[in-house]
Amino acid sequence: MIYRSGADYLKAPRKRIMLFGMSGLGKTYLSNLLRDHGDWFHYSVDYRIGTRYMGEFIADNFKREAMKVPLLRELLMTDSVYIASNITFENLAPLSTYLGKPGDPDRGGVPFAEYMKRQEQHRAAEVAATLDTARFMERAEELYGYPNFVCDTSGSICEVVEPEDPQDPVMRQLADTLLMVWIKGSDAHTAELVKRFDRAPKPMYYQPHFLHAMWEDYRATHSVTEETCDPDHFVRWTYARALAHRQPRYEAMARWGVTVTAEEVGAVASTQDFDALMARAIDRA
């Protein structure tokens, strides 16, 4: 770890933190708190993915749909309108909408081959955006004078790294430049995340072999074809299984850094609370 002890962290003139774990456990909450109330630069991997690496894919998809409308087609062909996504740290809907869900096109589904193509685009984008972290740490200090840096990772980071490999390039760079902090949820948190997802299912990135297995299993157990599959039902059915699939991968990543609980995160109300929590986590690692 880049900090030898909690005291070493507290006295460090430059604090470098990377938060990872399931979506909905407090990564963005902590990042926003640090950005709003301290000398911290907030780097959002999801935002970087949606703007720098997948922005063109997203905008082209909007244009593809617009071209189906005669009036918009005419305006686009004459460069009379401009179409782009409006991704923010708080609203990543354009990115998730582009990823899509496989199944019945009349219910918003996309062909499974197209779905997997977009999944691969996301994988490459997430790796690149995560590796950009080191460069943004330098930019944050050189351009803006921020001494401290927090990286708010995508919930799918565990799907694009091999934490058991000591030479994994993404894990190696992160461990060498930041303190990696896993926000660990309880079984109750997992159940709540599943309920929340059921209310508003959204596309996510998963490893290809996992998705292929889920797709085959779902169609067999529900007796549906690609064309008759309910896209929302498929992603709901897959989500709980995905959380179980990700848990051991998060645990393996945590061996590269420290662990805090979602309850501990929920008690953080200031930058001082955050620093105290980081120091405790380092000392008990």
Side-chain angles (χ1 to χ4, degrees), residues 257-270:
V258 301
T259 300
V260 298
T261 67
E263 289 85 359
E264 289 176 311
V265 167
V268 172
S270 67

Side-chain angles (χ1 to χ4, degrees), residues 142-162:
E142 291 176 2
L143 290 177
Y144 309 116
Y146 284 101
N148 305 315
F149 184 96
V150 58
C151 174
D152 178 4
T153 62
S154 173
S156 55
I157 185 173
C158 65
E159 306 275 14
V160 302
V161 299
E162 293 301 333

Side-chain angles (χ1 to χ4, degrees), residues 141-206:
E141 185 165 11
E142 291 176 2
L143 290 177
Y144 309 116
Y146 284 101
N148 305 315
F149 184 96
V150 58
C151 174
D152 178 4
T153 62
S154 173
S156 55
I157 185 173
C158 65
E159 306 275 14
V160 302
V161 299
E162 293 301 333
E164 302 286 0
D165 179 3
Q167 300 307 317
D168 181 87
V170 178
M171 293 295 295
R172 187 76 270 157
Q173 185 201 90
L174 293 171
D176 288 346
T177 55
L178 306 100
L179 175 66
M180 300 175 64
V181 180
W182 179 32
I183 302 178
K184 182 179 181 180
S186 64
D187 290 343
H189 286 117
T190 300
E192 180 56 34
L193 291 175
V194 171
K195 286 182 183 177
R196 190 184 308 172
F197 192 89
D198 280 345
R199 289 193 296 269
K202 66 177 183 177
M204 297 170 62
Y205 172 79
Y206 304 112

Side-chain angles (χ1 to χ4, degrees), residues 97-109:
T97 299
Y98 174 73
L99 280 176
K101 308 164 191 174
D104 183 357
D106 290 337
R107 288 182 277 186

Side-chain angles (χ1 to χ4, degrees), residues 13 27 30 51 77 99 101 124 127 195 206 217 248 253 268 279:
K27 297 190 303 291
L30 289 178
T51 52
M77 294 299 288
L99 280 176
K101 308 164 191 174
V127 169
K195 286 182 183 177
Y206 304 112
D217 192 10
M253 287 181 66
V268 172

